[in-house]
Amino acid sequence: MQVIADLQIHSKYSRAVSPKMNLTEISQWATKKGINLMATGDWTHPLWFREIKENLKETSEGIYSLVGNGHARSLQETKFLLSTEISSIYSQGDKVRRVHNLIFSPSIRVCEKVINELKKQGANLIADGRPIVGISSKDLLQMVLEINEKILFIPAHIWTPWFSVFGSKSGFDSLEECFGELSDNIYAVETGLSSDPIMNWQIKELEARSIVSFSDAHSGPKLGREATVFVENNQETITNNQITYEDIAKAIKQDSSGRLKIGYTIEFFPEEGKYHWTGHRSCNIRYNALETKKNGVICPVCGKPLTVGVENRVLDLSYKNISQEELVFIQNNVDLTFVYDQEKKRPPFVSMVPLLEILLETNDGSPTKAQNEYERLMNWTNEFELLLKKPYQEIEKQGGETLMTAIKTVRERKVFVDPGYDGVFGKVKIFKETPKGSPASQQSLF
Ligand SMILES: [Zn+2]
Ligand SMILES: [Zn+2]
């Protein structure tokens, strides 16, 4: 048994989100992608919270799914956990801080209490599904734990320059600096698209903490672009229908008495994230880590500070460097490559490219052809099943030789990525090497 979970997304009530993002749409895409457990997202928003209460029923403790009326049975199989994101903007130590944090709630009742307390403190919850509050991260953490100690509080996309706990522009240099004596209550961090676990393994403070990955999707097709996979922790077998909030919470807290643990995470190649390298997109300046060290962080074109990428930020905060030789790469029976730390102390990860991106490349860059092919393949199986599990023979039979070769290349980590910077997404190339390119699996290691 495994639970593929995507516990950070946004609803149509958040800014820059597809107007289609309602609970039915999310369930439909989760089914297509092969995701078992989804975030509801945005439960602090009054209208979205009403939709949650009207359309979801609790199927096991703290886990919900669509109610029967009018919804196909397959959609009811998508489970939901009450997860939301809050943006704290405040001053601390003469600096403006902007930090996004995820809050997982064990029940609707607990959500209501948090919502009431936020309102009492003057938060405007109707303006955005991801509300902006003037409450510091630390005070917010204290507030929710006082309401209910089962709440999980997870700093989101921790390396993005503008809105995260370690962000180069408005974050902190440590969890301790941000959360003070409450930092022990931070059991996990969410890596975001621009970093992978290797980068996070180099940070002392993260040694004992869980590393989770979610999509932060703003539309259905982006669901599961990163995900966390939970597996059984001991002999006890449980089915997807029996999973509770507590199972997920204990896995994230690394509580060995729990029925689940984190098996592995599914990651972007971090170069594909939009803040991997340092630069200015409007000035056409883009530096890798070494170039940034050499050239500094002032833009030679406009003279303003560059947006320092995640790669450099990690270098600044890390206490050790992990080289390629220190990693352990293990391929399973379908060539899927799991990347482990040297001692294999931590859950491994796999790096994936979304199927639609792969199909774009195998269909000469034609979005229409790629889309049609995607829909055709999704009549056969779901996306994660195809990317992570299907044997090559079957892929060749259903999708052709080129697709088979492309999937093999991704599973073996042999893709090339042109790194993203200053808000520009990186570009994956499966078949041809770009002049600047070198294999992503080597490039991410400084
Ligand atoms: Zn965010
Ligand atoms: Zn510039």
Side-chain angles (χ1 to χ4, degrees):
M1 192 273 305
Q2 61 171 31
V3 184
I4 301 184
D6 182 0
L7 300 179
Q8 184 190 12
I9 59 150
H10 289 290
S11 75
K12 61 183 175 179
Y13 296 107
S14 280
R15 254 194 299 171
V17 171
S18 156
K20 286 191 202 159
M21 281 291 266
N22 59 39
L23 291 161
T24 311
E25 172 89 357
I26 295 167
S27 296
Q28 275 166 351
W29 273 102
T31 306
K32 237 183 228 189
K33 295 273 174 178
I35 301 165
N36 313 105
L37 181 63
M38 285 300 312
T40 59
D42 295 0
W43 53 253
T44 55
H45 193 278
L47 300 178
W48 186 241
F49 192 47
R50 195 166 72 192
E51 289 188 29
I52 289 171
K53 287 191 287 188
E54 281 172 8
N55 293 292
L56 298 184
K57 64 169 189 297
E58 193 172 26
T59 50
S60 57
E61 216 175 308
I63 301 292
Y64 300 77
S65 67
L66 280 174
V67 290
N69 327 348
H71 294 298
R73 204 159 192 54
S74 62
L75 294 188
Q76 294 173 41
E77 280 167 21
T78 303
K79 307 292 181 193
F80 286 91
L81 183 145
L82 297 159
S83 158
T84 199
E85 184 183 34
I86 291 180
S87 173
S88 282
I89 302 187
Y90 55 104
S91 290
Q92 185 174 325
D94 292 340
K95 225 179 125 179
V96 177
R97 316 290 179 154
R98 298 184 188 85
V99 181
H100 288 185
N101 293 297
L102 304 180
I103 298 177
F104 293 2
S105 162
S107 70
I108 294 278
R109 184 77 198 100
V110 170
C111 292
E112 280 165 349
K113 287 183 185 168
V114 172
I115 289 166
N116 285 339
E117 189 56 38
L118 285 169
K119 279 198 221 153
K120 232 189 269 174
Q121 301 205 24
N124 179 357
L125 299 180
I126 191 89
D128 196 330
R130 182 187 55 215
I132 295 172
V133 302
I135 309 165
S136 75
S137 300
K138 185 184 170 188
D139 290 347
L140 188 62
L141 172 59
Q142 178 153 20
M143 182 194 114
V144 297
L145 288 179
E146 276 168 13
I147 289 170
N148 190 297
E149 59 184 15
K150 287 184 179 165
I151 286 178
L152 269 185
F153 191 97
I154 301 177
H157 44 75
I158 54 169
W159 297 103
T160 54
W162 298 99
F163 298 103
S164 75
V165 69
F166 290 153
S168 60
K169 291 286 183 187
S170 43
F172 296 86
D173 288 343
S174 67
L175 294 175
E176 180 79 31
E177 189 188 1
C178 179
F179 294 105
E181 74 282 5
L182 296 182
S183 22
D184 283 352
N185 297 290
I186 305 296
Y187 293 96
V189 294
E190 197 277 314
T191 64
L193 302 179
S194 297
S195 89
D196 66 10
I198 303 167
M199 302 168 86
N200 293 281
W201 294 340
Q202 300 175 101
I203 306 298
K204 186 91 195 154
E205 265 190 323
L206 303 184
E207 268 192 329
R209 292 181 162 96
S210 293
I211 286 169
V212 292
S213 280
F214 307 125
S215 73
D216 201 357
H218 289 197
S219 67
K222 300 274 196 272
L223 254 57
R225 58 185 170 175
E226 292 203 324
T228 300
V229 183
F230 296 90
V231 298
E232 279 143 342
N233 188 28
N234 43 44
Q235 306 306 326
E236 193 182 351
T237 16
I238 48 173
T239 67
N240 272 341
N241 284 326
Q242 294 168 325
I243 288 156
T244 63
Y245 175 88
E246 199 181 356
D247 291 325
I248 298 297
K250 280 190 169 177
I252 288 173
K253 290 181 171 180
Q254 301 180 50
D255 180 336
S256 55
S257 76
R259 300 193 294 176
L260 297 180
K261 63 179 180 187
I262 295 176
Y264 62 100
T265 56
I266 300 170
E267 306 278 339
F268 252 36
F269 287 95
E271 300 84 352
E272 215 188 337
K274 54 186 178 179
Y275 292 105
H276 191 69
W277 275 4
T278 296
H280 261 176
R281 65 170 130 175
S282 52
C283 303
N284 218 1
I285 294 294
R286 181 178 74 159
Y287 296 155
N288 65 26
L290 288 178
E291 287 165 337
T292 309
K293 287 274 171 242
K294 201 175 102 208
N295 301 335
V297 294
I298 297 300
C299 176
V301 177
C302 72
K304 293 184 188 138
L306 296 169
T307 305
V308 173
V310 165
E311 199 183 34
N312 271 92
R313 187 64 182 149
V314 171
L315 266 187
D316 287 344
L317 300 187
S318 60
Y319 79 109
K320 64 174 178 188
N321 266 345
I322 299 178
S323 68
Q324 175 87 7
E325 295 73 46
E326 293 170 79
L327 296 170
V328 181
F329 296 87
I330 297 179
Q331 289 191 343
N332 70 8
N333 59 342
V334 294
D335 287 350
L336 184 64
T337 309
F338 289 81
V339 185
Y340 289 86
D341 61 294
Q342 200 167 28
E343 293 90 36
K344 291 172 81 181
K345 270 196 310 204
R346 313 193 59 140
F349 70 93
V350 300
S351 303
M352 267 302 127
V353 177
L355 182 57
L356 201 54
E357 277 181 49
I358 297 175
L359 290 170
L360 207 54
E361 195 165 335
T362 57
N363 286 278
D364 313 316
S366 158
T368 317
K369 275 197 216 165
Q371 191 63 51
N372 290 342
E373 186 60 5
Y374 183 87
E375 293 303 330
R376 195 184 68 77
L377 288 166
M378 290 307 98
N379 289 326
W380 166 47
T381 186
N382 67 52
E383 181 168 340
F384 277 134
E385 195 71 25
L386 175 54
L387 292 174
L388 307 175
K389 291 183 183 159
K390 286 288 186 200
Y392 293 134
Q393 284 161 316
E394 283 187 46
I395 297 174
E396 184 173 17
K397 197 168 146 211
Q398 301 285 341
E401 195 191 343
T402 317
L403 181 65
M404 179 200 76
T405 312
I407 302 242
K408 186 168 161 58
T409 307
V410 176
R411 284 182 184 172
E412 292 178 342
R413 305 180 60 80
K414 290 179 177 160
V415 305
F416 297 91
V417 192
D418 201 17
Y421 70 108
D422 194 23
V424 181
F425 274 108
K427 287 187 196 71
V428 172
K429 289 182 188 68
I430 296 167
F431 291 121
K432 49 186 181 292
E433 194 173 345
T434 57
K436 277 182 190 152
S438 66
S441 54
Q442 287 160 27
Q443 216 172 53
S444 62
L445 299 164
F446 321 121

